[in-house]
Amino acid sequence: MSTTLEWRIEPSWPAPPRVRALCTTRGGGVSTGPFAGLNLADHVGDEPSLVVQNRALLRARLGLPTEPHWLRQVHGCRVADAVREPRACRADAVIAMGPREVCAVLTADCLPLLLCDAAGTRVAAVHAGWRGLAQGIIEATIARLAVPPRVILCWLGPAIGPETFEVGAEVRARFLAQGGKDTKAAFVPAPGDKWGDKWLANLYALARERLRACGVDRVWGGEFCTYSDPERFFSYRRDKITGRMASLIWIDPDAG
């Protein structure tokens, strides 16, 4: 399980003390209307000045060493380097091989993954919707971390849950075609569907299978549903016009 505070969720995982990680909720911000709370996305129609204030609140509350490495997420499988590439580059994951660079992804139903190695020398944040999973964003990130998979730790942050994430038959077919002995179990027929056109997909199970296939079996989290918890989470599927939470991870050399 993970610890939920007013405006953030802290992973319960055995990461090294110098690895800092969390996911925000929608609580504690200044945005209003459909973005009410701590919206951290500047591309969803929220008042820009309010997003700036929310990001400043985030930095102040956490004492962040730098501005998070915000990405321009495109549901692909490109991995950015927090040191070598500019903020707002097109990517769906970001890695840091040293201290003080804050990796971040924004989500409102897609699955955020936070990863680190057991020595606390490298970290990564991943944005994984079904398209990113199918294209190999997890595999690409693990490859870029360049450590044995057995030393990687992973936390699965808040995403749309398996009882509410409805997809079409073509999505299921794409995953089944990619193999994986447990893929079929990650899809169940949607209630009321008579023709096999609609399925409920388990993003958490699909991600865990991809991680296992890569050799990563130290995985925590996955107990949330953004769609079903409007007080804590933004959800695009539920509301269409909405904000975004942030999942962040960085190395603090003074913490351990």
Side-chain angles (χ1 to χ4, degrees):
M1 296 293 289
S2 303
T3 302
T4 304
L5 303 176
E6 177 189 0
W7 58 273
R8 69 189 187 274
I9 295 170
E10 297 183 350
S12 294
W13 64 336
R18 67 202 307 258
V19 173
R20 301 280 305 280
L22 70 123
C23 176
T24 64
T25 68
R26 67 183 304 170
V30 299
S31 291
T32 61
F35 314 104
L38 192 63
N39 169 46
L40 295 163
D42 61 4
H43 66 285
V44 294
D46 196 2
E47 173 62 42
S49 65
L50 298 181
V51 178
V52 170
Q53 291 182 58
N54 284 336
R55 290 184 173 186
L57 284 171
L58 180 70
R59 292 194 303 271
R61 288 169 178 167
L62 295 174
L64 294 179
T66 60
E67 178 73 18
H69 197 91
W70 306 111
L71 302 172
R72 183 182 174 192
Q73 298 167 190
V74 294
H75 296 277
C77 63
R78 184 175 182 276
V79 183
D81 187 311
V83 173
R84 299 179 181 178
E85 298 186 60
R87 288 169 178 79
C89 65
R90 292 169 62 94
D92 284 273
V94 55
I95 62 171
M97 301 295 195
R100 298 188 175 88
E101 295 292 340
V102 182
C103 299
V105 290
L106 296 169
T107 59
D109 284 336
C110 289
L111 173 62
L113 298 88
L114 300 178
L115 302 100
C116 69
D117 69 323
T121 63
R122 53 199 68 197
V123 294
V126 182
H127 161 250
W130 74 261
R131 291 178 178 84
L133 284 175
Q135 292 183 56
I137 186 62
I138 288 177
E139 294 87 340
T141 305
I142 290 171
R144 286 289 298 276
L145 285 173
V147 293
R150 68 178 181 276
V151 306
I152 294 176
L153 290 74
C154 178
W155 181 70
L156 307 177
I160 189 169
E163 296 181 355
T164 55
F165 185 36
E166 185 176 289
V167 299
E170 73 283 357
V171 174
R172 177 176 180 265
R174 181 168 179 179
F175 279 94
L176 292 179
Q178 293 178 345
K181 62 183 180 65
D182 298 323
T183 301
K184 188 175 181 179
F187 295 88
V188 299
D193 178 52
K194 299 179 180 179
W195 310 107
D197 294 330
K198 300 295 182 182
W199 297 80
L200 295 178
N202 189 331
L203 275 179
Y204 292 123
L206 291 169
R208 287 177 182 273
E209 183 177 39
R210 297 289 176 124
L211 289 162
R212 284 195 302 270
C214 291
V216 177
D217 56 12
R218 304 175 69 183
V219 183
W220 291 264
E223 68 263 29
F224 309 96
C225 179
T226 50
Y227 186 99
S228 302
D229 194 345
E231 291 190 4
R232 278 200 300 176
F233 301 123
F234 298 112
S235 169
Y236 178 80
R237 278 289 184 106
R238 184 186 63 231
D239 300 323
K240 301 305 180 187
I241 300 174
T242 191
R244 300 291 187 273
M245 292 86 66
S247 294
L248 307 103
I249 188 167
W250 72 101
I251 299 169
D252 181 353
D254 300 322

